[in-house]
Amino acid sequence: MNRALPWFQDCFPLYLAPMAGVSDKIFRQLCKEHGADVLTTEFVSAEGIFRRNERTREYLDFDEIERPIGVQLFGANAEHMAEAAKQVVDWVQPDFVDLNFGCPVNKVVSKNGGSALLKDCPTLASVASAVVRAIAPLPTTAKIRIGWDADSVNAVRVAEILGDAGIAALTVHGRTRAQGYSGAADWNVIGEVAAAASIPVIGNGDLGSANDVAKRRSETGIAGAMIGRAAMSAPWIFRETKTYLATRESVDPPTLGERWKLILRHCELIVQEWGAEEPAIRSMRARLMAYSKSMPEAKRLREKFSQVSTLAEVKIIAEENILNEENRNEGEARIQIPVFLGS
Ligand SMILES: Cc1cc2nc3c(=O)[nH]c(=O)nc-3n(C[C@H](O)[C@H](O)[C@H](O)COP(=O)(O)O)c2cc1C
């Protein structure tokens, strides 16, 4: 039994990916309601923890209902990372701390953080062991990319180093830093890591359906799966995947009405959280665009979403979209009848 991470006990946990600007408390809770097993905060800078700024505090905020939840930290200085991890544990008592060794953005890698540490294994090892020691027995996990670039894919070696450092589980996003989000995740490398590693490996990258998860699981022997962008347009992917893994039966996706109910609830919760409707709904524009991917008239919806500022406007768009879909279905039914009668 994995005492440190009991959610691997006889289970194949589904993680919501940490996503800066996306996986806030409200979205995490919506995903949990829709079947996500394990949540992680957006990444938090170890240096921000020292400064104890308001924004950092917000990133660390979660509700009890979100457990098991991890706080993700990034930074390149072992001592600071260990101290920041201890402070986080004192403040909010997460179920684990996750170390970000995968972030590709310049602002982070230029300070030797995120995926830059894939090129500097001694520092990576010292950061990992310092944090493991600082917060033990609370588990420390890590998230990596498969390497810095195509010529330096070293995920198997990095997994070994992290296992030796006492990391309890490892998420592997199957892209290099150089790829950013382009190209496809390399599930062969993820499979190699899963086969070689002494710790549970969570596979991540381009999982877009229950079927994808089942296929990658059987091909690679991963211990769990992490879903990011697909959950932004379809948070119900977790429930669908769980049902499919348990029964091999596909569940019907939510109806259009049910999707809109979820979207409107997301908007209402954000308005409540912000306490100011217009900035809250404007902050939802990108999120609404992501939802539109799973909706009819996606292009038109995107145009409308790029302008919304109030809940009332979102509701009008919802009503129109549902009505148009009903009309289209009726129209199709009318067209189909004569075809059917004539055949
Ligand atoms: C908007 C956005 C923000 C992200 N922020 C983080 C982050 O804070 N920490 C992290 O480890 N990965 C972050 N990622 C990467 C995701 O966790 C995940 O590894 C990646 O999106 C691939 O998974 P997917 O194909 O299921 O989306 C982010 C990705 C996106 C799209």
Side-chain angles (χ1 to χ4, degrees), residues 11 68 75 86 119 166 300:
C11 292
K86 261 202 282 198
K119 284 192 301 185
R300 217 164 110 200

Side-chain angles (χ1 to χ4, degrees), residues 22-98:
V22 174
S23 56
D24 54 23
K25 183 163 102 172
I26 289 167
F27 186 61
R28 291 195 304 263
Q29 293 186 13
L30 289 174
C31 289
K32 179 106 193 174
E33 277 173 27
H34 288 83
D37 296 303
V38 187
L39 307 173
T40 315
T41 64
E42 312 167 49
F43 69 172
V44 182
S45 145
E47 308 303 324
I49 305 269
F50 293 131
R51 288 197 296 275
R52 292 181 177 241
N53 65 14
E54 194 52 33
R55 205 65 210 270
T56 305
R57 190 73 220 197
E58 261 170 48
Y59 291 141
L60 296 177
D61 184 34
F62 63 82
D63 290 339
E64 285 302 302
I65 194 175
E66 295 179 58
R67 293 188 184 279
I69 183 164
V71 166
Q72 193 188 59
L73 288 180
F74 73 94
N77 178 306
E79 226 175 279
H80 288 191
M81 285 285 274
E83 192 47 42
K86 261 202 282 198
Q87 290 195 14
V88 164
V89 172
D90 280 353
W91 284 354
V92 294
Q93 291 99 43
D95 297 278
F96 60 100
V97 168
D98 188 60

Side-chain angles (χ1 to χ4, degrees), residues 26-274:
I26 289 167
F27 186 61
R28 291 195 304 263
Q29 293 186 13
L30 289 174
C31 289
K32 179 106 193 174
E33 277 173 27
H34 288 83
D37 296 303
V38 187
L39 307 173
T40 315
T41 64
E42 312 167 49
F43 69 172
V44 182
S45 145
E47 308 303 324
I49 305 269
F50 293 131
R51 288 197 296 275
R52 292 181 177 241
N53 65 14
E54 194 52 33
R55 205 65 210 270
T56 305
R57 190 73 220 197
E58 261 170 48
Y59 291 141
L60 296 177
D61 184 34
F62 63 82
D63 290 339
E64 285 302 302
I65 194 175
E66 295 179 58
R67 293 188 184 279
I69 183 164
V71 166
Q72 193 188 59
L73 288 180
F74 73 94
N77 178 306
E79 226 175 279
H80 288 191
M81 285 285 274
E83 192 47 42
K86 261 202 282 198
Q87 290 195 14
V88 164
V89 172
D90 280 353
W91 284 354
V92 294
Q93 291 99 43
D95 297 278
F96 60 100
V97 168
D98 188 60
L99 303 179
N100 180 317
F101 298 130
C103 181
V105 305
N106 282 330
K107 223 171 107 184
V108 172
V109 296
S110 63
K111 292 190 185 129
N112 217 16
S115 56
L117 288 176
L118 299 174
K119 284 192 301 185
D120 180 357
C121 289
T123 305
L124 175 123
S126 70
V127 168
S129 18
V131 175
V132 168
R133 271 198 309 272
I135 65 164
L138 203 77
T140 305
T141 63
K143 180 162 178 280
I144 63 170
R145 287 185 173 234
I146 56 175
W148 177 257
D149 60 19
D151 296 326
S152 58
V153 170
N154 60 350
V156 171
R157 173 76 190 119
V158 168
E160 191 188 342
I161 292 170
L162 292 174
D164 291 347
I167 291 294
L170 177 67
T171 303
V172 185
H173 174 195
R175 286 188 175 80
T176 61
R177 188 268 172 175
Q179 277 180 288
Y181 290 91
S182 66
D186 186 336
W187 279 85
N188 290 329
V189 177
I190 296 175
E192 286 165 22
V193 179
S198 55
I199 51 178
V201 170
I202 301 132
N204 169 242
D206 304 340
L207 297 171
S209 66
N211 206 23
D212 286 349
V213 177
K215 178 170 174 282
R216 296 309 191 185
R217 181 190 185 183
S218 73
E219 284 169 358
T220 61
I222 46 173
M226 178 180 278
I227 301 175
R229 288 164 299 172
M232 289 171 67
S233 48
W236 49 87
I237 188 173
F238 296 103
R239 180 80 57 220
E240 285 180 359
T241 303
K242 282 183 115 136
T243 307
Y244 187 71
L245 291 177
T247 63
R248 292 288 143 176
E249 275 174 29
S250 304
V251 286
D252 286 338
T255 62
L256 188 59
E258 286 164 343
R259 288 176 210 200
W260 273 112
K261 207 167 147 197
L262 166 69
I263 295 169
L264 289 169
R265 200 160 135 252
H266 192 166
C267 291
E268 280 161 7
L269 289 169
I270 291 284
V271 169
Q272 250 175 44
E273 178 80 9
W274 284 50

